[in-house]
Amino acid sequence: MATEKYSKLVKLGDIGETVADPNQDIRGRKVIDKDGLELGKIDALLIDDTERKIRFLRVETGGFLGIGEKTSLIPVDAITAISDDEVRIDQTGSTVTAAPAYDPELVDERKVYENIYNHYGYLPFWGDGYQNPAFPYPHYRVGGGLAEGDEVR
């Protein structure tokens, strides 16, 4: 039985907060799949409004000049490495392409997020036994300073 840690997800910046250290803000960085292929760029980070932890990367994938683009949500659990200009994930491009569609009208609905987590093979952040992934924690803090061993707040 899942615990009730679920909270609404909001786009970082819409709530007047941002990553404490601007050099660690991964928005705008390329997303690279496990095969080394570029999938798109991170255009937003979704955080939960209770724990203030980053839960999803919102990525624009595919398309040309805005035509045929798809917005995908990728759980932060998929991140394997972060550099100055890219974020690497443990998923293939075809897995990201086949992910449930992101619909901004449904972003606050638990079932949508649960379907996305299931698609990628991760436990939802509100599930029993969930542990924060290695990336981006403890590297990123929302709205405060970062000290050794700190979590995102």
Side-chain angles (χ1 to χ4, degrees):
M1 173 182 246
T3 61
E4 292 304 315
K5 293 190 300 184
Y6 178 77
S7 55
K8 182 177 179 181
L9 298 184
V10 294
K11 191 168 81 170
L12 185 62
D14 283 357
I15 57 171
E17 293 187 81
T18 190
V19 177
D21 180 352
N23 294 323
Q24 294 182 341
D25 192 343
I26 59 176
R27 289 175 286 185
R29 295 185 192 184
K30 296 181 282 189
V31 176
I32 308 297
D33 78 356
K34 73 179 195 173
D35 297 324
L37 302 174
E38 183 177 339
L39 302 179
K41 289 192 176 189
I42 300 169
D43 76 335
L45 302 172
L46 297 181
I47 66 168
D48 73 75
D49 67 351
T50 302
E51 293 187 39
R52 298 291 203 244
K53 293 185 184 281
I54 300 167
R55 301 300 183 187
F56 287 102
L57 311 174
R58 191 174 80 180
V59 179
E60 294 290 334
T61 60
F64 180 71
L65 298 175
I67 299 169
E69 281 185 355
K70 177 183 176 189
T71 302
S72 299
L73 294 182
I74 301 172
V76 296
D77 309 69
I79 298 174
T80 59
I82 299 172
S83 70
D84 289 341
D85 61 348
E86 63 186 34
V87 174
R88 294 190 170 264
I89 63 170
D90 66 359
Q91 303 288 322
T92 64
S94 59
T95 300
V96 173
T97 300
Y102 170 72
D103 181 348
E105 299 299 317
L106 302 175
V107 299
D108 62 348
E109 292 191 19
R110 180 178 176 154
K111 190 65 177 166
V112 172
Y113 296 125
E114 189 171 14
N115 288 340
I116 293 170
Y117 276 113
N118 288 338
H119 174 78
Y120 288 105
Y122 299 114
L123 182 66
F125 70 88
W126 61 86
D128 284 336
Y130 178 82
Q131 294 184 356
N132 287 319
F135 286 103
Y137 312 114
H139 307 286
Y140 293 90
R141 174 181 279 282
V142 176
L146 179 64
E148 186 65 34
D150 276 354
E151 292 184 3
V152 175
R153 296 213 188 263

